[in-house]
Amino acid sequence: MSPNTGPEDFGCTEQDKALRKHAEAIHNRWRHMQPAVPFEEVWERHVSSADRIRRKAKSRNRWKTAASAMLVVILLGGAAFTASPDVRAALSRFPFIKMLLADGGFEEQGLSKIEKEGLGVQVNTSVTDRDIRFTMDEVFYDGVQIVLNYDVEYLDDKKRIGDKDVAVYYSLEFAGAEPTMMSTHKFTKLNDHAFIGSTLIDAYQYLDGYKLRMNISRIGQVQGDWSVTVPLSVAKTSPDTTTFFPNKTIEVNGGKKTVERITFTPVSTQLAIRTSEYKENDVSYRLRDDLQTEFATAGGMGGEYEITNNFGPTSAINPHPKYVEVLINDQPSNPEQLVQREETAPLHGSFPIVLKGMDGGTVTITQVEVGDDETVLTYEASDAGNQNPDLHLVDSKGKEHASSGRPVRISKERFIFQIKFPKPDGGSFQKIKMMTYDNKPGYKPQPPTVIRVPLDWSKP
């Protein structure tokens, strides 16, 4: 939006028009019971027919066999890794998102649904240069965020890669579009010759039907060209995507804010707000459902009269809330008025364990279960304000472990959640810690402004 346009023009942007058109198309398909256009029709125009037939010829059982072989090869670092076509094919089914979330560096925010529900599109497009093969294995797009999953193989058997070799240097561009973007990535070494990577992109423009080019000029310490181009399509997520245009307005401190659009996908939620302020500062937005369950925050972008915020998906126990509430905090937090406090308690198998939370509330630990791959902690918060506590588990070596995902609510009637942690490095978990904050005596923060948005899922 240019300085010559005002807040009343927000709903007329190309972004808004595209989303309205797409939402109407989804609703019409649903009404007439017409299936969404499959991604294969989009991809067919982008890759050769021979390559498409070769990919489809592989049976599901063969994929399972190849995947098992691939995992063994990765663990053992065998030479067959770069030689076997079955292993090459199986790598495109590698659990990229599970690896991405494994060490807690990324919040869950619905990303695991990509693999659990098969929402990514298998691409398997390779480029080889300087004895290094880059393969784009999978692309995910839901209209809100893009996830690129890829692997890199060093084809020289004599080359053993180190930490400096596990990196991809790239830039991103779209043909015919220049969206505001934010991206992040993670690389994970598999063995002495290969690693995988995931790049997560928030692109604040609707890009269905566009092509994304990943310009790769360097891998590890080697200069070269491994650039690839992939089309973006929401075909896989469209059947479970719903967009509302509530046009709900409220006055806040003399200005106006309008909830223009809310889009719910299987993996993301996007909130678009029109504001009377030319540019906002020190304003934050949160989102919660009709059970007061807060949506995971996933970043945002502020324009001249428009604000776009991304969140995680709706909760599994409440996928279609009757309404959502937008919480607006237009007063910056004052850290000088807060006092940090640490609550600790031993873990000796005796439950419940009650920890003192914020504003007189409590967080009650009811169970800690250590499994083969992860640890699941169950807790109950006394109120909505304590539903997302900062919990850490301390093992017998004194090492603190942060959670590997966001809390998942498992009860509609009470604030009962489960949250996952890694296994202890050795022995068992000995202690639980919770970091929290108290307001200094006499300080009472201003409550947020709340916009309640009714949702009729039968008539989006």
Side-chain angles (χ1 to χ4, degrees):
M1 187 176 294
S2 70
N4 296 323
T5 59
E8 69 278 0
D9 298 312
F10 178 70
C12 301
T13 63
E14 293 302 318
Q15 165 88 342
D16 193 68
K17 290 178 182 177
L19 284 164
R20 285 182 181 272
K21 182 177 180 181
H22 186 66
E24 291 172 2
I26 293 173
H27 183 63
N28 289 334
R29 281 199 299 269
W30 173 82
R31 186 178 62 186
H32 297 294
M33 300 302 289
Q34 296 176 350
V37 178
F39 181 84
E40 282 71 16
E41 290 189 19
V42 179
W43 190 246
E44 182 178 358
R45 302 168 189 169
H46 188 70
V47 298
S48 68
S49 177
D51 186 52
R52 178 169 49 88
I53 294 172
R54 176 181 60 80
R55 291 199 310 274
K56 289 185 176 180
K58 299 183 182 298
S59 68
R60 182 171 297 178
N61 288 336
R62 188 178 181 188
W63 280 120
K64 290 181 179 179
T65 302
S68 299
M70 177 271 294
L71 290 173
V72 172
V73 171
I74 288 174
L75 292 173
L76 299 180
F81 179 80
T82 58
S84 169
D86 283 346
V87 172
R88 169 68 263 151
L91 191 54
S92 67
R93 302 299 197 266
F94 193 83
F96 289 92
I97 301 301
K98 185 176 182 179
M99 296 290 288
L100 178 71
L101 300 172
D103 62 2
F106 289 82
E107 286 195 352
E108 161 51 45
Q109 297 174 343
L111 290 172
S112 62
K113 285 188 176 183
I114 297 174
E115 288 175 348
K116 290 178 181 178
E117 301 180 14
L119 300 175
V121 176
Q122 302 301 320
V123 179
N124 200 26
T125 297
S126 296
V127 177
T128 301
D129 189 19
R130 304 291 301 275
D131 249 2
I132 299 174
R133 178 162 57 207
F134 174 92
T135 302
M136 182 67 71
D137 295 293
E138 183 181 53
V139 177
F140 167 82
Y141 182 55
D142 64 350
V144 176
Q145 63 179 325
I146 305 165
V147 180
L148 307 176
N149 293 323
Y150 42 88
D151 69 85
V152 175
E153 304 165 70
Y154 284 78
L155 303 178
D156 183 356
D157 291 339
K158 297 179 181 179
K159 167 70 174 177
R160 293 184 177 274
I161 62 175
D163 292 342
K164 292 183 179 180
D165 301 307
V166 182
V168 175
Y169 298 85
Y170 60 87
S171 63
L172 303 168
E173 64 177 335
F174 296 86
E178 296 182 359
T180 300
M181 288 189 293
M182 293 188 296
S183 67
T184 186
H185 54 249
K186 179 188 176 183
F187 310 120
T188 302
K189 182 180 176 182
L190 297 179
N191 61 15
D192 288 337
H193 303 286
F195 67 92
I196 62 171
S198 293
T199 294
L200 283 63
I201 307 162
D202 287 325
Y204 294 94
Q205 178 179 332
Y206 192 64
L207 296 166
D208 182 41
Y210 283 81
K211 293 182 179 181
L212 167 61
R213 182 169 176 82
M214 189 177 191
N215 297 306
I216 303 171
S217 59
R218 176 179 163 191
I219 291 179
Q221 304 176 74
V222 181
Q223 301 284 343
D225 186 1
W226 298 268
S227 302
V228 295
T229 301
V230 294
L232 299 179
S233 171
V234 297
K236 281 207 169 186
T237 55
S238 282
D240 297 309
T241 294
T242 304
T243 299
F244 296 90
F245 299 91
N247 201 34
K248 184 92 171 178
T249 301
I250 192 170
E251 187 168 321
V252 183
N253 292 334
K256 291 184 178 180
K257 298 184 189 299
T258 300
V259 178
E260 183 73 20
R261 170 175 51 83
I262 305 178
T263 298
F264 298 91
T265 86
V267 175
S268 313
T269 301
Q270 188 171 80
L271 171 68
I273 291 178
R274 182 174 72 240
T275 175
S276 60
E277 300 294 327
Y278 176 61
K279 287 189 177 180
E280 285 191 346
N281 294 303
D282 298 324
V283 180
S284 63
Y285 295 87
R286 291 182 292 143
L287 192 67
R288 67 186 180 193
D289 67 11
D290 54 347
L291 301 179
Q292 292 188 288
T293 309
E294 290 216 13
F295 287 65
T297 57
M301 183 272 296
E304 294 164 358
Y305 290 104
E306 56 188 282
I307 307 294
T308 303
N309 283 271
N310 291 345
F311 299 88
T314 56
S315 65
I317 64 166
N318 193 24
H320 298 122
K322 296 178 182 179
Y323 62 84
V324 293
E325 292 181 330
V326 182
L327 284 70
I328 306 172
N329 289 296
D330 58 357
Q331 295 293 324
S333 60
N334 188 350
E336 294 181 358
Q337 297 293 339
L338 300 176
V339 179
Q340 188 179 51
R341 173 167 49 85
E342 180 181 294
E343 288 280 303
T344 62
L347 283 175
H348 296 312
S350 179
F351 297 98
I353 298 172
V354 181
L355 303 175
K356 183 181 177 183
M358 296 186 297
D359 299 326
T362 58
V363 175
T364 302
I365 313 302
T366 58
Q367 191 174 43
V368 176
E369 292 183 288
V370 180
D372 294 335
D373 299 319
E374 61 191 8
T375 301
V376 179
L377 183 150
T378 305
Y379 68 88
E380 180 172 358
S382 59
D383 54 77
N386 284 283
Q387 64 181 287
N388 293 313
D390 183 10
L391 297 172
H392 294 256
L393 295 180
V394 183
D395 62 25
S396 53
K397 297 180 180 179
K399 181 179 178 181
E400 288 191 19
H401 297 262
S403 63
S404 54
R406 282 195 47 101
V408 176
R409 189 167 179 176
I410 60 174
S411 170
K412 286 187 175 182
E413 293 75 24
R414 295 152 63 187
F415 291 103
I416 301 177
F417 293 82
Q418 287 186 334
I419 187 169
K420 294 179 180 180
F421 290 82
K423 288 181 60 179
D425 288 345
S428 61
F429 288 120
Q430 300 293 308
K431 186 169 62 174
I432 185 167
K433 292 177 60 176
M434 183 176 76
M435 302 302 299
T436 187
Y437 290 88
D438 292 325
N439 297 322
K440 286 185 176 180
Y443 172 69
K444 189 175 182 180
Q446 181 176 335
T449 300
V450 179
I451 305 179
R452 178 174 290 191
V453 182
L455 303 174
D456 184 350
W457 293 85
S458 66
K459 299 176 182 179

